[in-house]
Amino acid sequence: MGPASGVGKAWARFRFYLGNPMQRPSVLFGSLLTAFWSRVEGPVEVPRKSSLAPSDNLQTPMNLVMPLKFPQVAFRGQLGKMLFDQTDQILVGLNNVGTVHFARFDVVEGNLCMFSIFDGDFVGYIRDFIGVIGQAFDGIMEFVKDPAPTPCGSNVDAFIDWVRRHDALQMPELATDVTSDLVALRRRTLVLLHQNPNVQMGIYRGYPGYSVAQIRDGLGIGW
Amino acid sequence: MREVQGNILRAYGDRYRAVRHLVLTVDDRFAARRALGLMVDGDRSTPDVTSGDRPPKEAGYQWCLNVGFTFAGLAAFGVPAASLDTFPPEFRDGMAARASRLGDVGDSAPAGWVGGLAETRRVHLVVTIHGWTRSDVDGVAEEVMAAAGGRAFSRLSDETFDGEVLYDPVTRRRLVHFGYADGISQPRFVDVHDPSASPDQLPMAPVGVVLLGYPSAIPHVSWNVPQPKVLGHNGTFNAFRVLGQDVAGFEGFLAAVEAKHGLDRELTAAKLCGRWRSGVPLSLAPTAAQAEAFRDDVHLNDFDYVDGDPDGVICPIGAHIRRTNPRGAHIVQRSSNRSRSLIRRGIPYGPRWDPGDAATRDTPRGLLGNFLCASLAAQFEAMQYDWINLGFQDPRITGTNDPLLGANDPATSSFTWPRQGADPLVLRGFKRFVVTRGGAYTFLPSLPAMRWIAAQTE
Ligand code: HEM
């Protein structure tokens, strides 16, 4: 796969199976209709795929969107200080997880977001980072709405479940992962968007198919 | 220890040569509870679950009994939903549902599993009987099935899961098919094993590696104990695996490497596993002559990869035992060197492979494996998912699978054999030698927990 094709395909497919919902029917009518379908369809889930192809298990995004308890600037200031105080633990910890390409903490519209790209299994990634930065996450839980039970190191499954629920939906790159019923495809896609306000719609990878350790090894910077 | 089932912290030992795993479905909940109650009443005149308090051989027992419950099995016994909800998700899903993560695809996919093991909702119990002889096992199996008027459970199919220990006639060591000595490296537990009895460089493991209710091997992390506490405490999870082995295919590959590269088959076998077939580790005996001369049974596990072999020139990074236990070696998941340890209790099934014996050449053979741990997801599945397959622990093997048992395909398989002062040799085109024929995730409760299950009234 060439460097650009992964992302190109992801976005093109997404357009293909949505059609152009904003034109036909009107936005208002479309929204009402989607709300109705959503009731009829019930929850639509897109399971995370696990496959044995290495490339399917590399550079997976996680987009945690965690609503903050309070919007005030002073509160965000305290959050910033807490994260700042934990910086060393977080950096060393993520380095010890070993499979993380990058991880950033952003505050976006009243949400604390942790956006990261990692290699391997989603659940394994969360479990490993609880092991090394669990205490930092216990600190984070004090700032977010409906936090996971703490300490997260003693509530691993509950924490994994909480993370799963706060991870933005990733639109699958293959239409058939939404449904193999092509007639229902557009409807189900809209229902998915309706049920998941936070969605990752596409992703670009500059060096697809490599693990973080392979890149570091190749650059000779230690892995 | 008295509360924990036997064969978990300590193996039953070599005296118990025959094993049978009865895969059962509960027919009548009330009768099943009565039968279970009899198995934990401490009276060995009827089949009784063996406790881990002392070696059964010392007690003179000719047979030992273990009971494992699947998630559906706990429900079938009437364990309340509130309690069932406290079990971890991978156990609730069952092994078949985790197939893609475990590499159980293609010929290994649940669709081809034997003995009804893919019917996750109907597999309730795996009752395991070890005996000195086959007839010891037969006798106990009959009694188990006849308990509570014979109405409690039935076998899911006619498929028998019978195993028999294989011994090397010369070294007397236990073998697995493919001809390797097995049962050498196991975690040793603080306060259970005497470190001076088996000197090796591996640190002693906390019992929380395998038992629920104790600190795990990961600092600050403890696994949830299923509730109520009496049910979960001192229990352990087990991945029961029926693994078919293609010995002819494996030997054929060793022969092909010999023909193409002029490398001795025994050396290739050692490089693929990390131990010579005699059990002597490459790390302590890099050459055949050294392995031949190695007589020190006590130190068979006394090595690490940190000193002197960072690149796998002696023991390849992709070799089976280095993948499944990197010991102190530098790995990508730096926090996981010791956290995925497992207890392995396996006994082979099927006759020893003998190419000259037409009658048994094609008889199915393999390993009835039990992989015990406190967290199936963090230990067994993690090991299987990205160490045995995928090879994420070291960038130099990423994208390759374990040569002995990975989900290999001749079109893509490869094994890197690093060499001193020369380019690595890359072996390609080998097939998958170990096929999953079935399996189940079970929970091995403590003895008090089984009394609690037997006393349910729901
Ligand atoms: C038919 C399948 C298998 C065969 C023939 C096989 C063979 C072996 C052999 C010969 C050894 C070396 C003996 C020893 O160190 O005690 C070994 C060790 C080991 N195997 Fe396997 N194995 C199989 C399946 C598995 C599976 C499915 C797993 C894990 C999910 C596994 C995990 C391990 C571990 C953890 C060790 C010990 C490594 C160490 O501590 O150095 N094996 N195996």
Side-chain angles (χ1 to χ4, degrees):
Chain A
M1 178 164 55
S5 63
V7 58
K9 272 189 200 145
W11 274 323
R13 285 206 185 103
F14 187 57
R15 236 184 66 200
F16 157 75
Y17 54 89
L18 261 182
N20 191 341
M22 299 308 160
Q23 279 177 12
R24 286 169 294 119
S26 77
V27 174
L28 177 64
F29 181 61
S31 301
L32 286 173
L33 203 60
T34 307
F36 169 73
W37 284 332
S38 184
R39 294 212 146 202
V40 177
E41 291 256 352
V44 177
E45 286 198 21
V46 184
R48 271 183 185 266
K49 257 201 313 204
S50 41
S51 105
L52 274 177
S55 55
D56 285 348
N57 293 284
L58 292 169
Q59 299 184 29
T60 310
M62 181 176 83
N63 308 301
L64 267 185
V65 180
M66 304 173 274
L68 288 171
K69 252 185 209 156
F70 306 109
Q72 287 83 355
V73 64
F75 186 75
R76 282 179 274 146
Q78 283 171 13
L79 169 67
K81 176 169 184 321
M82 191 275 297
L83 285 175
F84 186 75
D85 290 345
Q86 306 268 8
T87 306
D88 287 349
Q89 198 209 343
I90 293 174
L91 295 186
V92 172
L94 289 174
N95 202 46
N96 282 338
V97 168
T99 50
V100 187
H101 289 254
F102 71 76
R104 19 189 278 238
F105 288 99
D106 298 354
V107 173
V108 182
E109 300 249 318
N111 299 292
L112 172 63
C113 303
M114 181 190 178
F115 295 133
S116 70
I117 300 268
F118 63 94
D119 300 325
D121 173 44
F122 178 70
V123 173
Y125 170 49
I126 303 167
R127 199 185 316 105
D128 286 353
F129 84 60
I130 295 175
V132 293
I133 58 167
Q135 285 159 317
F137 259 88
D138 291 342
I140 289 174
M141 288 302 121
E142 291 174 19
F143 289 84
V144 302
K145 273 187 200 151
D146 303 322
T150 51
C152 46
S154 314
N155 296 280
V156 177
D157 289 329
F159 186 74
I160 291 172
D161 192 49
W162 188 91
V163 168
R164 207 193 293 275
R165 281 185 281 115
H166 288 76
D167 183 27
L169 172 80
Q170 286 162 41
M171 289 310 290
E173 300 188 14
L174 285 176
T176 44
D177 290 338
V178 178
T179 170
S180 49
D181 174 0
L182 288 182
V183 178
L185 186 60
R186 188 169 151 224
R187 190 177 76 223
R188 297 204 105 199
T189 305
L190 286 172
V191 170
L192 265 181
L193 295 181
H194 178 73
Q195 291 171 350
N196 295 277
N198 303 323
V199 179
Q200 175 193 290
M201 291 198 172
I203 179 167
Y204 167 77
R205 297 179 175 96
Y207 43 85
Y210 293 101
S211 73
V212 65
Q214 284 176 309
I215 291 158
R216 291 172 64 151
D217 189 35
L219 291 172
I221 54 172
W223 48 274
Chain B
M1 284 280 267
R2 192 143 27 100
E3 298 192 348
V4 179
Q5 293 198 41
N7 215 25
I8 296 174
L9 294 174
R10 268 199 235 117
Y12 286 145
D14 288 352
R15 191 74 182 83
Y16 301 85
R17 304 179 67 139
V19 71
R20 173 169 301 161
H21 301 276
L22 294 168
V23 177
L24 305 178
T25 193
V26 169
D27 295 326
D28 175 335
R29 165 179 299 186
F30 299 93
R33 286 186 197 135
R34 275 205 306 285
L36 179 66
L38 286 172
M39 290 185 210
V40 284
D41 64 0
D43 170 9
R44 276 181 64 97
S45 65
T46 55
D48 218 53
V49 173
T50 309
S51 98
D53 63 345
R54 65 173 169 153
K57 192 177 136 196
E58 262 172 37
Y61 296 166
Q62 274 172 253
W63 51 266
C64 299
L65 183 74
N66 290 87
V67 179
F69 295 75
T70 64
F71 183 66
L74 291 171
F77 271 80
V79 170
S83 175
L84 294 174
D85 286 346
T86 61
F87 280 84
E90 68 281 3
F91 176 70
R92 299 204 301 256
D93 288 350
M95 188 183 280
R98 314 285 283 188
S100 61
R101 182 179 308 250
L102 297 176
D104 292 341
V105 296
D107 285 354
S108 292
W113 285 7
V114 297
L117 283 164
E119 297 171 55
T120 307
R121 297 293 143 224
R122 289 191 60 225
V123 180
H124 292 158
L125 292 178
V126 179
V127 174
T128 301
I129 304 157
H130 286 81
W132 288 4
T133 63
R134 177 63 45 213
S135 72
D136 292 328
V137 169
D138 285 344
V140 177
E142 265 170 40
E143 287 183 61
V144 166
M145 297 310 297
R151 284 180 293 110
F153 2 78
S154 51
R155 283 175 42 193
L156 220 61
S157 80
D158 291 338
E159 181 86 30
T160 54
F161 298 100
D162 283 356
E164 195 92 38
V165 174
L166 296 176
Y167 285 103
D168 184 306
V170 182
T171 62
R172 301 302 299 157
R173 289 211 183 98
R174 285 171 78 139
L175 299 179
V176 284
H177 293 295
F178 298 161
Y180 295 95
D182 195 12
I184 300 164
S185 179
Q186 298 279 8
R188 298 162 310 151
F189 296 107
V190 180
D191 297 334
V192 175
H193 295 102
D194 171 7
S196 63
S198 54
D200 68 40
Q201 293 173 25
L202 304 187
M204 301 289 281
V207 289
V209 160
V210 66
L211 292 186
L212 290 166
Y214 303 89
S216 77
I218 312 172
H220 315 299
V221 171
S222 52
W223 310 121
N224 286 38
V225 179
Q227 295 298 312
K229 193 177 165 203
V230 60
L231 174 61
H233 188 70
N234 278 332
T236 184
F237 290 103
N238 180 25
F240 170 59
R241 301 280 277 171
V242 184
L243 300 172
Q245 290 177 254
D246 176 2
V247 184
F250 180 72
E251 295 292 342
F253 176 59
L254 298 180
V257 173
E258 182 171 58
K260 184 161 176 205
H261 302 284
L263 290 160
D264 182 65
R265 293 178 199 199
E266 291 309 314
L267 179 63
T268 306
K271 291 285 179 181
L272 299 179
C273 178
R275 288 186 189 272
W276 298 86
R277 292 206 250 202
S278 63
V280 174
L282 273 173
S283 299
L284 295 179
T287 66
Q290 287 165 308
E292 190 64 35
F294 195 97
R295 289 280 174 275
D296 185 359
D297 265 16
V298 177
H299 287 89
L300 279 174
N301 208 31
D302 190 11
F303 63 95
D304 205 328
Y305 305 111
V306 265
D307 301 324
D309 194 21
D311 301 324
V313 170
I314 298 169
C315 177
I317 297 155
H320 175 58
I321 68 162
R322 190 161 176 170
R323 277 178 181 263
T324 51
N325 185 358
R327 301 183 182 224
H330 178 62
I331 57 166
V332 168
Q333 304 98 336
R334 288 181 267 296
S335 54
S336 302
N337 281 65
R338 315 277 181 202
S339 69
R340 298 183 179 184
S341 317
L342 301 165
I343 303 277
R344 299 173 295 124
R345 303 276 183 242
I347 293 189
Y349 68 89
R352 201 164 174 189
W353 184 73
D354 173 358
D357 182 355
T360 61
R361 208 169 33 210
D362 300 323
T363 309
R365 54 173 62 77
L367 185 72
L368 297 168
N370 291 292
F371 300 90
L372 301 156
C373 52
S375 167
L376 288 164
Q379 294 165 265
F380 174 72
E381 288 191 346
M383 185 182 288
Q384 185 80 43
Y385 167 77
D386 67 7
W387 283 1
I388 288 180
N389 293 319
L390 297 174
F392 283 174
Q393 63 270 56
D394 190 309
R396 293 165 293 181
I397 60 165
T398 294
T400 69
N401 303 327
D402 188 305
L404 282 192
L405 58 127
N408 288 308
D409 178 326
T412 51
S413 59
S414 84
F415 175 74
T416 302
W417 174 332
R419 292 181 294 187
Q420 192 72 52
D423 281 346
L425 176 67
V426 181
L427 305 178
R428 294 185 198 280
F430 51 93
K431 57 187 286 215
R432 181 176 189 152
F433 301 123
V434 171
V435 172
T436 310
R437 300 182 65 225
Y441 283 158
T442 62
F443 177 60
L444 303 183
S446 70
L447 277 79
M450 283 188 281
R451 289 187 199 109
W452 180 87
I453 296 171
Q456 293 304 298
T457 51
E458 191 40 28

